[in-house]
Amino acid sequence: VDLDLTEPGTVPKRVQATPSWLLARASARAHKLLVEHLSGVGVRPYHYRLLATLEETGQSSQADLGRAAHIDRSDVVAALKELETAGLVTRAPDPRNRRRNIVTLTPDGRHRLSAMHAALSAAQQAILDPLTATEQDELVGLLTRLTAAGQET
Amino acid sequence: VDLDLTEPGTVPKRVQATPSWLLARASARAHKLLVEHLSGVGVRPYHYRLLATLEETGQSSQADLGRAAHIDRSDVVAALKELETAGLVTRAPDPRNRRRNIVTLTPDGRHRLSAMHAALSAAQQAILDPLTATEQDELVGLLTRLTAAGQET
DNA sequence: CAGATGTCAGTAATACTGAAATTG
DNA sequence: CCAATTTCAGTACTACTGACATCT
C-alpha cells in the first residue's frame, strides 16, 4: 500500500495539529495493534470486552453485559452468538425472568481468557512503546480526564 | 445486577486503564463532536479534509489529493462525487495526462470553507474543553509523539 | 511490459437507530 | 399501559481490499 495513514506530515495544516485528528490517528494505530494481538487468540475487541466483563462479574444478562462492557445491546447479540458458536460462552433463559438470557463463561472460555489477557497486555506495551514511562502515565492520566468528562454527555 | 452507567468504572478492570480503551473512547467522543460541528455546514470529515487540502495545495489529481488528505483513493472517488454534486468542486480530465482528473475548488466551495474552518475550530475547543490549557498542550504533544512513531508500521 | 490512475464492488469493525415480540 | 429484554434490519463513518479498464 502506498498510502500510510499513520504518517502525520502530509495532512492540511489546519488539520495537522487538531486533537480530533491526532486522537483519530493514535486510536487507529492502537486499535490496529489491539486487533492484531487479539486475532492471535481468535477474538475481536468486542469479544474480549464481553468475556473479560463476564469473568469479572460472573453470570449476567445480555443487557447488563452490554452496559458493563460499553457495547450496544444489539451488537451484544451478534458478538455473543459468535462466542457461543465458538464454545466460549453459553446462553440459557433465566427462569426467574424469562425475558432475560443468562450468559455464562464456559470452562474453555475461562481457559482461553488468560491468553487474551496476555495479548491485551502485549498490545498495550506496543502501543505505548514510543513514549517514556513518565509520558505513558501522563497520557493515560490526560485521556482518563478527557473520557471521564465525555461520560455524562 | 443493576449497574450504574454514569460511573466511569463500568468497564472491566483489565480494560479500564488501557491506552487502547482510553484512546478509543477519547477518539469516539472527538469524532462525534467533529461530525456534529461539521454537519452544521453540510459536510463530513472526509469532505472537509479534501476541501482543506485542495485549498492548501490548489488544483490536484484525485490520487494526489487522497495521499495528501490521507484518504484511500477509492474513498476519494465517492467523497469527490458528493462534493461535485454539491457544487463545491469540479472535476475535469487533465489534457497533459489523460489518466488524471484535475480537481478544482469552486468559488462557492472556497466561500463555504471559511464556515468549515470555524466549525473545525469550535469542535476542537469542545473536545479539549474538560482540560486546562496546560493539559491541552501536553496532550497534543504526547499524541503527536505517539502518531509520529507509527510512521513505519 | 510495468506502473499510475480512476472507478466500482465489497468487506471489516465500531457505533448507533428503529422496530418488533415477549415478558414483568 | 408502561418498561425492560432480546432480536433483527438497517444506517453512518472510517478504512481497506481486489478487481478492472485506461493511459503513460
Side-chain angles (χ1 to χ4, degrees):
Chain A
V1 180
D2 59 346
L3 181 58
D4 185 356
L5 291 182
T6 60
E7 194 269 320
T10 62
V11 114
K13 291 186 182 67
R14 279 207 153 88
V15 171
Q16 187 175 314
T18 56
S20 59
W21 173 252
L22 294 170
L23 282 169
R25 299 269 40 85
S27 175
R29 173 176 169 273
H31 182 255
K32 193 176 173 187
L33 286 168
L34 179 63
V35 168
E36 285 172 4
H37 281 79
L38 284 182
S39 73
V41 211
V43 293
R44 290 182 287 126
Y46 264 21
H47 298 144
Y48 174 73
R49 288 225 302 278
L50 290 172
L51 294 176
T53 302
L54 217 44
E55 186 184 45
E56 194 173 297
T57 67
Q59 291 183 342
S60 67
S61 71
Q62 297 185 187
D64 285 342
L65 205 49
R67 279 187 287 263
H70 273 84
I71 299 176
D72 190 276
R73 309 94 177 104
S74 68
D75 299 317
V76 170
V77 173
L80 238 39
K81 201 187 296 181
E82 294 162 349
L83 290 174
E84 194 177 30
T85 302
L88 304 184
V89 304
T90 57
R91 285 186 295 176
D94 186 343
R96 293 175 307 181
N97 187 339
R98 306 214 313 273
R99 289 175 304 191
R100 299 188 165 197
N101 276 341
I102 296 183
V103 186
T104 310
L105 211 52
T106 65
D108 188 35
R110 191 175 297 274
H111 224 250
R112 289 177 55 187
L113 250 175
S114 49
M116 298 181 199
H117 292 323
L120 178 70
S121 287
Q124 305 312 313
Q125 289 191 5
I127 290 166
L128 291 179
D129 186 59
L131 300 182
T132 68
T134 305
E135 289 172 331
Q136 295 179 7
D137 292 343
E138 279 178 18
L139 180 64
V140 168
L142 289 169
L143 290 175
T144 300
R145 288 205 47 196
L146 207 56
T147 56
Q151 203 98 14
E152 305 94 36
T153 53
Chain B
V1 177
D2 288 324
L3 299 172
D4 189 354
L5 288 181
T6 63
E7 283 188 26
T10 58
V11 120
K13 291 189 183 73
R14 280 207 152 87
V15 172
Q16 185 177 316
T18 56
S20 60
W21 172 252
L22 294 170
L23 283 169
R25 297 311 309 161
S27 175
R29 173 175 169 271
H31 181 253
K32 194 177 174 185
L33 286 168
L34 179 62
V35 168
E36 284 173 4
H37 280 79
L38 285 181
S39 73
V41 211
V43 294
R44 290 181 289 126
Y46 265 20
H47 297 144
Y48 175 74
R49 288 226 301 277
L50 289 171
L51 294 175
T53 302
L54 257 185
E55 187 185 44
E56 194 174 295
T57 66
Q59 291 183 342
S60 66
S61 72
Q62 297 186 186
D64 286 343
L65 247 189
R67 278 186 288 263
H70 277 82
I71 299 176
D72 189 275
R73 72 176 199 271
S74 70
D75 299 316
V76 170
V77 173
L80 237 40
K81 201 188 296 181
E82 294 162 349
L83 289 174
E84 193 177 32
T85 302
L88 303 184
V89 305
T90 56
R91 285 186 296 177
D94 186 343
R96 293 180 306 181
N97 186 340
R98 304 208 321 269
R99 287 175 305 188
R100 298 189 164 199
N101 276 343
I102 296 184
V103 185
T104 311
L105 211 52
T106 65
D108 188 34
R110 189 175 299 275
H111 181 257
R112 288 178 54 187
L113 249 174
S114 49
M116 298 181 200
H117 292 322
L120 178 70
S121 288
Q124 305 311 314
Q125 289 190 6
I127 291 166
L128 291 180
D129 186 60
L131 300 182
T132 68
T134 306
E135 289 173 331
Q136 295 178 7
D137 292 343
E138 282 177 18
L139 181 62
V140 169
L142 289 170
L143 290 175
T144 301
R145 287 206 48 197
L146 208 54
T147 55
Q151 277 184 16
E152 63 284 341
T153 48

